């Protein structure tokens, strides 16, 4: 299975600043996803990172707040912009081999973000 | 919300006992998957059961699926302290979207 490296693993940021989270996969993958997880809660899909085109955002998430890049099939970044305390959360990158939901997802260990 | 529901929310058992957690979902599915999340880590895939399957085993894990009731259960037999984690179900319906359940926090006491 794919090995996913996510950086940074944690950060404490000031409100109003932005942070870019990196996700590196050890093999080429079709699908890359970004999730948000409040401590002790379930996962909420932010967007699907598409290689060579704009990301597909879920309801409630917008590109201005969460710009995503995917320059190739092994790398993606998620930026959390103009952060507020409500953005304090765990951000997870995941990958899957196909876009039909018939394969498991493989996750990075997440980025634990705290906004002061 | 499309989110699946899991119960119990939390479960505490003694080492060696069996742990059962349940997942209910809302729409028809292609498959249902179970994941484990250790504290401070990402999710790890455990098992996938397709909509035309009723039961599946993997080591100490047994998963059942009842599509008429839109529910699934995960049984961990002979639990160990290392099984302490949160467990999530995730359903898919033929698209890229995985609908994750609310999770069950399992604590296995040594």
């Amino acid at each position: 299975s794919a090995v996913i490296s996510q950086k940074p693993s944690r950060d404490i940021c000031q409100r109003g600043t932005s942070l870019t989270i990196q996700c590196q996969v050890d093999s080429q993958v079709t699908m890359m996803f970004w999730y948000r997880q409040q401590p002790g809660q379930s996962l909420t899909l932010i967007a699907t990172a598409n290689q060579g085109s704009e990301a597909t955002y879920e309801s409630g998430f917008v590109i201005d707040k969460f710009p995503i890049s995917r320059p190739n099939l092994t790398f993606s970044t998620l930026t959390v912009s103009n952060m507020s305390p409500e953005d304090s959360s765990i951000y997870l990158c995941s990958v899957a081999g196909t876009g039909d939901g018939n394969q498991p997802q493989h996750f990075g260990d997440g980025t634990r973000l705290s906004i002061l | 919300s499309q989110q699946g529901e899991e119960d119990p929310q939390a479960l505490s058992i003694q080492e060696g006992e069996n742990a059962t957690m349940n997942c209910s979902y809302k729409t028809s599915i292609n498959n249902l998957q179970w994941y484990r999340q250790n504290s401070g880590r990402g999710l790890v895939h455990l098992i996938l059961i397709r909509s035309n399957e009723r039961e599946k085993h993997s080591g100490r894990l047994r998963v059942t699926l009842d599509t008429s009731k839109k529910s699934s259960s995960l049984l961990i037999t002979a639990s160990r302290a290392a099984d302490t984690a949160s467990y999530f179900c995730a359903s898919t319906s033929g698209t890229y979207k995985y609908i994750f359940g609310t999770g069950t926090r399992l604590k296995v006491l040594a």
Side-chain angles (χ1 to χ4, degrees):
Chain A
S1 63
V3 176
I4 299 108
S5 299
Q6 201 172 325
K7 295 179 181 179
S9 58
R10 61 179 65 242
D11 208 338
I12 301 172
C13 301
Q14 297 294 322
R15 73 173 66 202
T17 63
S18 299
L19 178 75
T20 296
I21 302 168
Q22 298 181 4
C23 179
Q24 179 74 55
V25 191
D26 68 344
S27 59
Q28 293 186 345
V29 291
T30 303
M31 308 297 292
M32 293 184 78
F33 306 97
W34 287 99
Y35 288 89
R36 185 169 69 185
Q37 183 183 29
Q38 302 286 352
Q41 302 296 316
S42 186
L43 283 71
T44 299
L45 181 63
I46 297 172
T48 303
N50 302 311
Q51 193 267 328
S53 65
E54 198 170 281
T56 303
Y57 289 85
E58 298 302 306
S59 175
F61 298 96
V62 295
I63 188 172
D64 290 345
K65 177 67 175 177
F66 297 101
I68 288 170
S69 78
R70 190 172 175 195
N72 55 52
L73 292 176
T74 63
F75 186 78
S76 177
T77 66
L78 168 75
T79 299
V80 186
S81 303
N82 189 25
M83 290 183 286
S84 66
E86 292 72 35
D87 295 319
S88 296
S89 192
I90 302 166
Y91 293 85
L92 293 157
C93 167
S94 76
V95 304
T98 64
D100 59 8
N102 287 326
Q103 291 190 4
Q105 287 192 19
H106 302 284
F107 287 81
D109 280 339
T111 296
R112 278 140 195 84
L113 186 56
S114 297
I115 315 303
L116 301 179
Chain B
S1 168
Q2 292 294 311
Q3 194 168 65
E5 297 286 331
E6 290 185 56
D7 77 87
Q9 289 186 351
L11 179 61
S12 185
I13 59 174
Q14 294 291 326
E15 206 166 29
E17 294 181 338
N18 296 342
T20 300
M21 49 206 86
N22 304 295
C23 165
S24 61
Y25 55 91
K26 298 182 179 181
T27 64
S28 60
I29 61 171
N30 280 13
N31 65 65
L32 189 134
Q33 305 175 26
W34 285 90
Y35 291 81
R36 183 187 74 230
Q37 184 178 34
N38 291 90
S39 180
R41 304 298 297 273
L43 280 71
V44 174
H45 180 259
L46 296 175
I47 196 166
L48 180 154
I49 185 166
R50 302 195 185 282
S51 59
N52 61 354
E53 297 176 311
R54 292 297 166 259
E55 187 171 313
K56 201 162 184 179
H57 297 254
S58 177
R60 294 184 296 112
L61 306 180
R62 173 179 168 249
V63 169
T64 62
L65 179 65
D66 187 336
T67 53
S68 68
K69 295 181 179 179
K70 291 187 169 59
S71 68
S72 175
S73 67
L74 171 67
L75 168 68
I76 304 173
T77 60
S79 63
R80 307 166 181 168
D83 295 327
T84 295
S86 292
Y87 292 82
F88 294 90
C89 65
S91 59
T92 67
S93 305
T95 73
Y96 63 88
K97 292 189 183 183
Y98 295 63
I99 307 300
F100 284 86
T102 49
T104 293
R105 293 186 304 280
L106 173 65
K107 187 170 186 178
V108 181
L109 304 170

